[in-house]
Amino acid sequence: NDLSLVRNFSIIAHIDHGKSTLADRMMELTHTVEDRKMKEQLLDSMDLERERGITIKAHPVTMKYKAKDGNIYTFNLIDTPGHVDFSYEVSRSLQACEGAILVVDAAQGVEAQTVSNTYLANDNGLDIIPVLNKIEMPNADVDEVSQQIEDILAIEATDALQISAKKGIGIEAVLEAVVERFKPPEPAKDQFTRALVFDSKYDAFRGVVVYMRLFSGALKAGDKVRVMSTGEDYEIKEVGIFTPEMNKCKILEEGSVGYVIANIKDASEIQIGDTLTLAKLPAPDALPGFKEIHPMVFSGIYPVETSDYEKLGASMDKLRLNDASFSYQAESSIALGFGFRCGFLGLLHMEIIMERLRREFNLDIISSYPNVEYRVVLKNGDVQEVDNPMYLPDPTMIEHIEEPMINATIICPTDYLGDMMALIMDRRGSIVKTDSIDGHRVMLTCHMPLNEVLIDFYDKLKTLSRGYASMDYEYANYQPSELVRMDVMIHGEVVDAFSSIVHRSKAEFRGRQMCKSLLDVIPRQAFAVALQAAVNGKIIARETIRAYRKDVTAKCYGGDISRKRKLLERQKEGKKKLKAIGKVNIPQEAFIAVLKTN
Ligand code: GTP
């Protein structure tokens, strides 16, 4: 095992700049996959990833490359996700590498994730090879973009490689640069085995498959391996490499990237960032970088059909086997019945989990208003973490409430700078600095509450800039803020699923919005129904549903009998799903409609 012939690296890029396409071309050129097996974006294996064109999980692949110097090199490429929700995966993957290929779209230039991913690579001490992609496009501007790479990222770019991943131009030069410019893995300093876990996946037949980079020592089937965070030992059943499918081998040696299958039953038994060592000769210290990941966004997920509750729970159990960053526990709501309180890394993560529950488990589900986790400091000095507005302590006991803040980087054309600044201010953000990127674009650095970007910030950003702005963020700190719980009441009864924690200055607007949308979806009752929003018992918004007689067939003028029957049937069906909020019966669809539009 000659370490000087090994290169471990990853490709980092802003979304859509061509990371996966470049990985595909590299696999083709190294004959890692036969041409007939080659389909676009080979590494994006999850259906959802392929459809959305985004990488969600980190995928590794081992390639053999015969370089111009005559040697055959082993390349371990770890593909990384591009979205901020998964940046913990990016940083884990980067820790497993010595170098990173930085792909920048030569027609678009440096974008927000180009910046954040480069920072992550720098933090991990990686060598970076800048690559300009899409150079065959008529609007590609190689000089301009090289300049941006130097100015914004402080990376020497005079020798940036110029490629077209799509057309297969310049790919060999990239492979040669990997050999020449990236360092081989460093030889171990002691005799202990240490492998960094950078991902895991659950396989129904084989249990947990651990993705790892071996920094020192060796691993083979039959070895007893120890998970250092828990001290648990497991017997290795199989080791292998990714080509990109799992390919069993006899032994994994120092410097390699591959997988380990031991009798680990549940993804939660092993954490990303964990160190594996041998039970018979355990390493005295773990590899750096073990950090627990915390969910940042919380929401209730409920089955639309109450009878699906058990199935939903079982499906979540299965999903969690594959994704240990997703957490959940049972909760119940007056409006939505029995469901689960779930924690996610971010909104995209939440969307993906919801989508997977719908598709892979065929469930009809609805989520309550997403929120962040607040830190509530009580007058008696206690601190409570609150991820569900219903559990906010009595306001008279609260000293103050703190909310999570983010540092965001936004890149947009200078023409939209005014609009962007207004949007950031509207979301209670403050602008830390603005940097000019070139004559026509700026980079804004701002500090803002995570809660304010949860809902439609990204959409607004895109609309205001006609799609030209890009954004990335990282979690910053907790900060005291004027936060209150806003409740929504129907005929005097609080509807739990609609309660939210909001900034005092926004409560009234949001309260009005909620009452208005409820007005549209709740059918009239035999009596007038008040819709109210309240903060600490004080009403801040109100609408009234006027009384109505119940005869649903009235508007049919006695004409079409079959239509009349249909309506009656529908009413009967509707009754089954009515939820009583105090005296008022409301079809569950009404709640769902409001949660969907708000
Ligand atoms: P994420 O996985 O979401 O981070 O995206 P990615 O960076 O992997 O980008 P991907 O490889 O999916 O490419 C995005 C789009 O750009 C696709 O439609 C590609 O076909 C296209 N593309 C990639 N390389 C080139 C190129 O050299 N020229 C042109 N014109 N298009 C390219």
Side-chain angles (χ1 to χ4, degrees):
N1 184 36
D2 184 353
L3 282 181
S4 69
L5 297 178
V6 179
R7 296 292 182 275
N8 295 324
F9 61 97
S10 79
I11 307 181
I12 53 177
H14 186 73
I15 289 172
D16 276 351
H17 281 197
K19 179 167 49 84
S20 308
T21 313
L22 173 60
D24 285 355
R25 288 295 101 82
M26 293 173 90
M27 283 189 275
E28 262 172 21
L29 221 79
T30 54
H31 310 287
T32 305
V33 282
E34 299 156 52
D35 284 350
R36 66 185 165 80
K37 272 202 200 157
M38 193 76 207
K39 41 185 172 178
E40 290 277 296
Q41 320 262 294
L42 209 72
L43 295 182
D44 288 350
S45 56
M46 221 191 283
D47 270 358
L48 212 60
E49 296 189 327
R50 224 178 264 273
E51 249 170 60
R52 295 193 168 210
I54 49 167
T55 308
I56 298 166
K57 302 289 279 176
H59 299 270
V61 59
T62 299
M63 301 178 265
K64 292 279 180 202
Y65 174 61
K66 183 156 197 271
K68 292 208 173 115
D69 65 10
N71 290 319
I72 294 177
Y73 289 84
T74 301
F75 284 180
N76 292 306
L77 162 61
I78 302 177
D79 194 21
T80 57
H83 193 276
V84 54
D85 279 13
F86 308 104
S87 63
Y88 83 98
E89 292 216 10
V90 180
S91 62
R92 290 299 148 254
S93 309
L94 294 183
Q95 271 183 34
C97 300
E98 276 80 36
I101 298 176
L102 172 68
V103 176
V104 184
D105 185 326
Q108 280 198 297
V110 168
E111 293 285 358
Q113 267 117 35
T114 317
V115 179
S116 56
N117 283 323
T118 304
Y119 289 166
L120 281 177
N122 282 334
D123 289 349
N124 285 290
L126 303 190
D127 290 324
I128 295 176
I129 301 175
V131 170
L132 304 176
N133 187 28
K134 310 197 187 183
I135 51 154
E136 93 294 351
M137 286 182 67
N139 55 339
D141 189 341
V142 169
D143 294 339
E144 169 66 53
V145 177
S146 302
Q147 193 62 47
Q148 291 176 10
I149 292 176
E150 297 204 343
D151 292 350
I152 306 167
L153 308 174
I155 294 173
E156 168 69 41
T158 37
D159 52 354
L161 300 171
Q162 301 180 17
I163 68 162
S164 167
K166 193 173 177 174
K167 296 247 150 56
I169 301 167
I171 311 300
E172 197 167 359
V174 177
L175 296 171
E176 284 295 318
V178 168
V179 169
E180 287 161 19
R181 297 203 224 164
F182 288 153
K183 289 188 284 282
E186 262 186 44
K189 294 187 181 65
D190 54 31
Q191 79 279 33
F192 300 108
T193 296
R194 291 184 192 85
L196 176 73
V197 176
F198 62 86
D199 203 0
S200 70
K201 86 170 181 191
Y202 180 76
D203 181 299
F205 301 106
R206 316 212 253 178
V208 176
V209 180
V210 179
Y211 293 28
M212 53 101 241
R213 151 82 195 266
L214 206 49
F215 277 88
S216 57
L219 290 172
K220 58 181 187 314
D223 286 345
K224 271 243 163 59
V225 79
R226 177 167 301 167
V227 174
M228 290 190 76
S229 69
T230 61
E232 290 293 323
D233 295 343
Y234 304 88
E235 188 180 315
I236 298 184
K237 301 279 180 234
E238 181 180 321
V239 297
I241 57 170
F242 299 95
T243 60
E245 63 281 352
M246 295 200 288
N247 211 328
K248 187 171 159 178
C249 65
K250 281 217 178 68
I251 185 165
L252 288 175
E253 296 182 287
E254 188 176 321
S256 61
V257 172
Y259 68 88
V260 169
I261 298 174
N263 48 347
I264 305 176
K265 302 279 185 304
D266 187 322
S268 63
E269 291 172 54
I270 189 152
Q271 312 251 7
I272 291 174
D274 232 322
T275 301
L276 300 182
T277 189
L278 286 177
K280 66 169 194 284
L281 191 63
D285 49 351
L287 292 163
F290 176 74
K291 196 169 94 192
E292 258 186 76
I293 35 171
H294 287 291
M296 297 302 289
V297 175
F298 298 82
S299 160
I301 293 188
Y302 290 83
V304 170
E305 297 294 335
T306 335
S307 57
D308 274 345
Y309 173 71
E310 309 251 307
K311 185 176 165 198
L312 178 59
S315 307
M316 285 182 170
D317 278 341
K318 287 210 186 97
L319 261 191
R320 213 192 112 82
L321 291 173
N322 249 321
D323 184 351
S325 55
F326 153 64
S327 67
Y328 60 95
Q329 67 190 80
E331 75 167 6
S332 68
S333 142
I334 303 163
L336 301 171
F338 289 102
F340 297 90
R341 189 83 198 156
C342 304
F344 311 93
L345 299 170
L347 221 55
L348 178 69
H349 187 215
M350 167 170 164
E351 253 181 67
I352 285 165
I353 295 279
M354 301 258 306
E355 194 67 23
R356 290 185 67 186
L357 286 168
R358 290 192 178 110
R359 284 191 201 189
E360 292 168 34
F361 301 95
N362 206 11
L363 282 159
D364 199 2
I365 48 174
I366 179 81
S367 67
S368 66
Y369 203 69
N371 58 266
V372 299
E373 187 168 61
Y374 296 95
R375 208 174 270 167
V376 182
V377 179
L378 299 176
K379 287 194 171 130
N380 67 9
D382 288 356
V383 179
Q384 278 184 21
E385 307 213 306
V386 175
D387 65 28
N388 182 342
M390 289 316 287
Y391 298 138
L392 193 70
D394 187 281
T396 58
M397 292 164 60
I398 299 176
E399 169 65 35
H400 68 266
I401 304 177
E402 296 175 5
E403 64 178 332
M405 305 292 289
I406 57 168
N407 287 326
T409 307
I410 297 170
I411 292 182
C412 75
T414 316
D415 291 352
Y416 304 115
L417 181 59
D419 291 336
M420 286 300 132
M421 288 171 106
L423 175 66
I424 293 163
M425 305 301 233
D426 178 58
R427 300 302 173 97
R428 302 190 283 124
S430 57
I431 291 153
V432 180
K433 63 175 177 165
T434 55
D435 296 294
S436 162
I437 290 188
D438 45 50
H440 32 96
R441 287 194 309 159
V442 279
M443 180 163 91
L444 286 162
T445 311
C446 53
H447 189 232
M448 54 196 298
L450 174 62
N451 190 36
E452 295 284 340
V453 300
L454 273 194
I455 306 302
D456 59 351
F457 184 79
Y458 192 68
D459 292 342
K460 279 258 158 59
L461 187 92
K462 285 284 178 196
T463 322
L464 283 176
S465 67
R466 288 170 214 245
Y468 286 116
S470 66
M471 158 172 149
D472 205 344
Y473 63 84
E474 56 177 15
Y475 300 113
N477 57 326
Y478 268 81
Q479 184 171 296
S481 184
E482 281 275 309
L483 297 159
V484 291
R485 185 173 95 201
M486 191 196 72
D487 292 320
V488 174
M489 296 180 292
I490 298 180
H491 209 58
E493 301 275 335
V494 172
V495 184
D496 51 7
F498 294 153
S499 291
S500 57
I501 294 176
V502 292
H503 192 259
R504 192 178 286 281
S505 67
K506 304 233 159 161
E508 206 176 308
F509 176 76
R510 215 181 121 57
R512 270 203 224 112
Q513 212 180 11
M514 290 293 282
C515 291
K516 281 225 170 65
S517 21
L518 280 170
L519 185 65
D520 292 339
V521 296
I522 297 186
R524 289 184 183 180
Q525 315 275 322
F527 46 90
V529 174
L531 304 171
Q532 295 164 308
V535 168
N536 297 339
K538 187 173 160 254
I539 306 298
I540 53 168
R542 179 190 169 111
E543 297 282 348
T544 308
I545 305 175
R546 281 184 295 133
Y548 181 61
R549 54 192 192 113
K550 264 192 188 154
D551 185 0
V552 291
T553 60
K555 56 179 166 222
C556 294
Y557 307 112
D560 183 345
I561 202 83
S562 74
R563 178 162 150 72
K564 227 184 223 175
R565 189 168 300 132
K566 244 191 226 151
L567 274 172
L568 284 169
E569 260 161 30
R570 204 178 296 157
Q571 191 191 37
K572 209 157 82 196
E573 213 174 78
K575 261 203 188 112
K576 278 187 287 186
K577 285 191 223 151
L578 288 184
K579 290 268 151 71
I581 301 291
K583 275 190 355 186
V584 188
N585 285 322
I586 303 171
Q588 200 185 7
E589 289 82 77
F591 294 114
I592 293 172
V594 171
L595 288 171
K596 272 192 182 140
T597 53
N598 274 276

